[in-house]
Amino acid sequence: EEYISRGIGREEQYRTIRYGIDLDEFRDVEPATDLPGTEPRVLMVSRLAEGKGFDVLLDAIELLNTDEFSVLIAGDGPLRSELQSKISNRGLSDSVFLLGYRDDIPEVMTGSDIFVLPSYREGTPLVIYEAMASGLPVVATDIAGIPEQVEEDVTGYLVPSGNAIVLSSYVEALVTDSTESQSLGNEGRKRSNQFSVDRMTNEYRSLHTALLEEREI
């Protein structure tokens, strides 16, 4: 729609082929055994950089009883020292943990219970596909391509950008209702099949075949 509004091509010239990931990498995985904090675990996987909504997440966590769950943030980046200071200054060091860079994200996801992504800026983040393939309910910002990934009340919840109150309410709902959390996660796992590499390559192959056949007519 954006490209067409700028005069780039015509609507009938466009096809949507969603990106695919290796789903098997995130399924039937043993959970990481070195994760800090108590269960249930709320996980965010992100580069520690501007625009990812860390302050919104910390604001949301402060509104909740952190004795009932823990928050893990996996990733590294220029904001790590600043973020660690904010966690300490807010008195959240016993419940919010920076994991740093991890090369075992599938295992980290399997060892977690809820996935959050309160970003201000995203495209269509692959990490949401990965979380869904891992069977995690997703709570993410209602921006860009995320509403195409997360179906409200089916695979997770969508949060208005910058709204810590709504984010906290959804996190609390999933932390306190494991049945709902598992239901959303199971539905996400099923729906993640549409994001497989096989599906993507088959759609590209079909499109290329159709275009070649049109040229031969």
Side-chain angles (χ1 to χ4, degrees):
E1 290 174 353
E2 181 176 346
Y3 290 162
I4 291 172
S5 71
R6 298 185 182 198
I8 303 173
R10 304 181 306 278
E11 184 173 356
E12 63 270 18
Q13 293 177 297
Y14 283 85
R15 301 290 185 275
T16 298
I17 297 179
R18 290 182 172 82
Y19 197 82
I21 64 171
D22 182 0
L23 296 175
D24 290 338
E25 185 179 356
F26 294 87
R27 293 177 174 173
D28 299 323
V29 177
E30 291 297 320
T33 58
D34 62 341
L35 300 180
T38 58
E39 297 180 355
R41 294 187 176 97
V42 178
L43 174 67
M44 179 176 177
V45 178
S46 172
R47 186 166 185 266
L48 306 188
E50 296 290 345
K52 295 299 183 179
F54 296 112
D55 284 339
V56 179
L57 177 60
L58 296 182
D59 287 344
I61 299 308
E62 281 190 313
L63 297 172
L64 302 175
N65 180 4
T66 54
D67 292 334
E68 298 179 350
F69 66 100
S70 57
V71 178
L72 312 182
I73 301 176
D76 207 347
L79 294 184
R80 179 165 184 171
S81 295
E82 178 182 339
L83 185 54
Q84 187 66 71
S85 295
K86 288 181 177 180
I87 292 170
S88 177
N89 292 338
R90 289 171 181 245
L92 296 174
S93 297
D94 292 334
S95 56
V96 180
F97 304 92
L98 298 184
L99 303 183
Y101 173 79
R102 301 283 299 221
D103 59 5
D104 60 343
I105 293 301
E107 289 79 7
V108 173
M109 286 187 169
T110 301
S112 303
D113 302 278
I114 300 160
F115 185 80
V116 296
L117 191 67
S119 301
Y120 288 99
R121 296 190 300 270
E122 289 290 349
T124 304
L126 298 184
V127 70
I128 287 182
Y129 294 157
E130 295 169 353
M132 291 171 63
S134 300
L136 299 182
V138 177
V139 182
T141 319
D142 187 7
I143 58 171
I146 293 177
E148 293 187 41
Q149 300 174 284
V150 180
E151 184 172 354
E152 186 79 23
D153 294 323
V154 178
T155 63
Y157 301 115
L158 296 170
V159 179
S161 181
N163 196 319
I165 294 176
V166 174
L167 177 60
S168 69
S169 67
Y170 285 143
V171 170
E172 182 178 34
L174 293 174
V175 163
T176 57
D177 189 345
S178 60
T179 300
E180 175 70 3
S181 178
Q182 291 174 8
S183 176
L184 296 176
N186 290 338
E187 187 62 30
R189 188 191 296 272
K190 288 190 291 185
R191 293 188 178 219
S192 69
N193 289 323
Q194 63 186 291
F195 308 127
S196 71
V197 171
D198 288 343
R199 186 273 314 154
M200 178 184 69
T201 54
N202 288 336
E203 289 186 16
Y204 272 120
R205 185 179 295 110
S206 296
L207 176 59
H208 292 165
T209 299
L211 292 173
L212 289 171
E213 289 175 348
E214 288 179 7
R215 287 176 63 93
E216 292 174 357
I217 295 177

